[in-house]
Amino acid sequence: MPVYHIRQSPVLQGEAQINVAKNAVLPILAASLLCSSPVTVRKVPKLKDIDSMAEVLKACGAQIQKEEDSLTIRAPALNNPIESAPFHKLRASVLVLGPLCARLHEADVPLPGGCAIGQRPVDIHLKGLKAMGVESHLENSRVISRGTPKSGYIYLDFPSVGATENLLMTAALTKGVTRIENAAKEPEIVDLADFLTLAGARIWGAGTGTIVIDGVEKLTGVEFTPIPDRIEAGTLACAAAVTDGSILLTGARSDHLRSLLHKLRETGMLILEDARGLHLRGRAKRAVDIHTLSYPGFPTDLQAPMMTVATQTKGQSIFMETIFENRYMHAVSLCRMGANIRTEGRMALIQGGAPLTGATVEATDLRAGAALMIAGLIAQGETYLVDKPGHISRGYDLLDQKLNAMGARISCETGRAPEARLTK
Ligand code: UD1
């Protein structure tokens, strides 16, 4: 069980290289199941979710070869998985549903796991498949889908990222023209479409609400380097915002981070962009209101780190979490550290300016863990961040060490946090 011991840290200064995006790598790994020859994904970060996804692909019959930071996937023949354990480790395991339907015309896969930030059903994925002639039902915690996919018209009730990815993958190998309306517009969708296009798919409109796919018979393996991780970059930007930092996020793409940068500028931070990446300077001073939305709106994955920022600005910030219904668990821990936050359903009121003090707190999910690590940097005294299931390393490759390289004082211990602090 990792326990991060965080001491109040001076101003963050220096440079951090942004990794390739976890949320881009995962669907691309799933999409490699569509390809008749080997796929190599480059610059893959060392993340538990990616290891779990590799296990998911193996359970579906793929062979995976790891070499330095590359993963090569061979999937000459696929099968429905028997083993459930790897599927329960992450939400993105559901992304093999589309490729299995496309190639086997049937799928029988365990329901996915992932962060407990809401109900996270798969109904939109299944309704989309139904519009393509694939009937599905749930049985013994598994999704069972049957039918040869046909091209058609799909309207998504909500622009679900995962459902858009699943349907895009299915349609890429389905004869005829499929149109997905109210599709998700996230940069990771564009990256998946770019990967598929390089592999031979015919796709238009990725990144807009309407994606049109003219299915092909075969996709061939390619080498691909996914986009940089906008959520890792955003998390580090929030760390700079609370520490009065001066940092450079090398490789970060400002065009993927417009909503966050707009909000950080509103707080008073100075943000400059150049060919190397993003320069962030100064402290967040003014309160900001945050409304999480589908892309290009403010990302729900940065709501928790941004809440830590809001605890330090002057005045009241109002947050509305519209994507997930249970994504304020970090607020309880921030209050243990002295923050003044009241949550009411989807809304949170943050009265900024209260100094934080060290406490023992728990990483209840991936992004909550990151938010608390940032809070520890400014808390007086020492913070013990207990990460029982290892949430943080599921999605961040050595976040603590990246922060340390810029002046933070975090050590990762394995063991128990001092008992006395748990009752503080
Ligand atoms: C992806 C990201 C995750 C991010 C989220 C929203 C990956 C691996 N994960 O998750 O980090 O927080 O997008 O930007 O890329 N929903 C349904 N039925 C469905 C599907 C979704 O009701 O069939 C709901 C979910 O419960 C949630 C909302 O739609 O409330 C958004 O989910 P979705 O966009 O699908 O997120 P994920 O793809 O799971």
Side-chain angles (χ1 to χ4, degrees):
M1 170 177 78
V3 178
Y4 296 93
H5 175 203
I6 310 162
R7 277 169 294 166
Q8 196 176 24
S9 303
V11 172
L12 288 190
Q13 262 174 345
E15 196 174 321
Q17 174 69 46
I18 300 306
N19 283 327
V20 151
K22 161 181 95 74
N23 287 352
V25 174
L26 295 174
I28 288 167
L29 290 180
S32 67
L33 297 182
L34 296 166
C35 298
S36 55
S37 47
V39 167
T40 299
V41 187
R42 302 266 182 228
K43 297 195 177 168
V44 176
K46 289 190 185 69
L47 300 175
K48 276 206 297 188
D49 268 9
I50 290 176
D51 294 342
S52 304
M53 194 65 182
E55 286 177 49
V56 165
L57 299 195
K58 280 188 206 160
C60 297
Q63 298 142 25
I64 316 269
Q65 196 184 333
K66 204 171 177 172
E67 205 171 302
E68 293 179 2
D69 60 0
S70 295
L71 282 182
T72 298
I73 304 99
R74 289 179 177 79
L78 296 182
N79 54 262
N80 274 306
I82 295 164
E83 212 192 332
S84 308
F87 285 78
H88 295 155
K89 290 183 188 166
L90 79 169
R91 171 77 180 170
S93 61
V94 75
L95 297 178
V96 300
L97 190 61
L100 289 175
C101 286
R103 279 192 59 185
L104 301 181
H105 301 175
E106 59 166 10
D108 178 348
V109 298
L111 277 169
C115 285
I117 51 181
Q119 283 185 31
R120 309 190 84 175
V122 291
D123 55 320
I124 302 173
H125 300 240
L126 304 190
K127 271 170 92 173
L129 285 174
K130 190 177 165 70
M132 296 183 76
V134 177
E135 293 290 339
S136 308
H137 67 280
L138 303 185
E139 197 178 302
N140 297 327
S141 302
R142 293 178 78 93
V143 184
I144 308 202
S145 301
R146 302 253 184 274
T148 305
K150 294 178 191 61
S151 59
Y153 172 82
I154 303 168
Y155 181 86
L156 302 184
D157 291 336
F158 177 85
S160 153
V161 175
T164 303
E165 291 166 344
N166 244 333
L167 297 165
L168 178 55
M169 289 187 279
T170 311
L173 269 194
T174 297
K175 202 172 165 214
V177 176
T178 298
R179 192 180 171 93
I180 309 174
E181 296 267 17
N182 201 24
K185 301 176 191 149
E186 271 68 2
E188 293 76 17
I189 303 279
V190 178
D191 212 36
L192 173 63
D194 286 347
F195 166 81
L196 289 168
T197 303
L198 204 60
R202 292 163 56 77
I203 300 168
W204 297 267
T208 74
T210 303
I211 306 181
V212 177
I213 307 114
D214 185 7
V216 295
E217 268 181 22
K218 192 174 151 183
L219 294 172
T220 47
V222 290
E223 285 188 21
F224 196 79
T225 304
I227 48 171
D229 195 325
R230 62 194 169 102
I231 307 300
E232 185 196 33
T235 303
L236 291 168
C238 289
V242 292
T243 59
D244 207 359
S246 174
I247 68 171
L248 166 62
L249 301 177
T250 316
R253 282 186 57 172
S254 59
D255 56 330
H256 293 169
L257 280 161
R258 292 278 177 235
S259 56
L260 173 79
L261 300 182
H262 169 69
K263 285 292 162 186
L264 288 178
R265 283 190 175 110
E266 241 180 71
T267 69
M269 284 196 80
L270 178 67
I271 301 168
L272 303 167
E273 313 168 19
D274 67 17
R276 286 182 297 164
L278 280 174
H279 300 258
L280 295 110
R281 281 187 210 139
R283 179 194 292 282
K285 299 178 209 74
R286 291 185 286 277
V288 277
D289 293 339
I290 299 289
H291 206 106
T292 64
L293 288 168
S294 300
Y295 191 84
F298 194 93
T300 174
D301 286 351
L302 288 174
Q303 178 259 108
M306 193 66 194
M307 190 174 283
T308 301
V309 175
T311 67
Q312 298 307 298
T313 57
K314 260 208 179 96
Q316 181 177 267
S317 296
I318 302 175
F319 279 36
M320 281 295 287
E321 171 56 63
T322 73
I323 308 294
F324 291 106
E325 64 275 19
N326 188 23
R327 211 170 195 185
Y328 283 142
M329 287 181 283
H330 46 281
V332 177
S333 298
L334 287 171
C335 289
R336 275 175 74 90
M337 297 174 77
N340 185 349
I341 304 169
R342 194 157 62 85
T343 60
E344 189 81 49
R346 301 259 181 174
M347 191 172 71
L349 298 176
I350 303 113
Q351 198 58 52
L356 301 184
T357 50
T360 295
V361 288
E362 218 174 296
T364 45
D365 63 72
L366 167 56
R367 308 302 173 187
L372 296 173
M373 191 176 279
I374 297 172
L377 300 178
I378 41 165
Q380 277 166 25
E382 296 168 36
T383 298
Y384 289 88
L385 173 57
V386 182
D387 188 8
K388 267 189 209 146
H391 282 303
I392 296 172
S393 55
R394 281 186 39 217
Y396 294 95
D397 187 3
L398 302 176
L399 180 61
D400 50 331
Q401 292 188 23
K402 275 195 180 168
L403 289 167
N404 284 347
M406 295 190 288
R409 297 188 297 161
I410 308 172
S411 54
C412 182
E413 300 163 0
T414 304
R416 284 167 73 81
E419 215 52 64
R421 290 181 166 270
L422 285 168
T423 53
K424 188 174 171 183

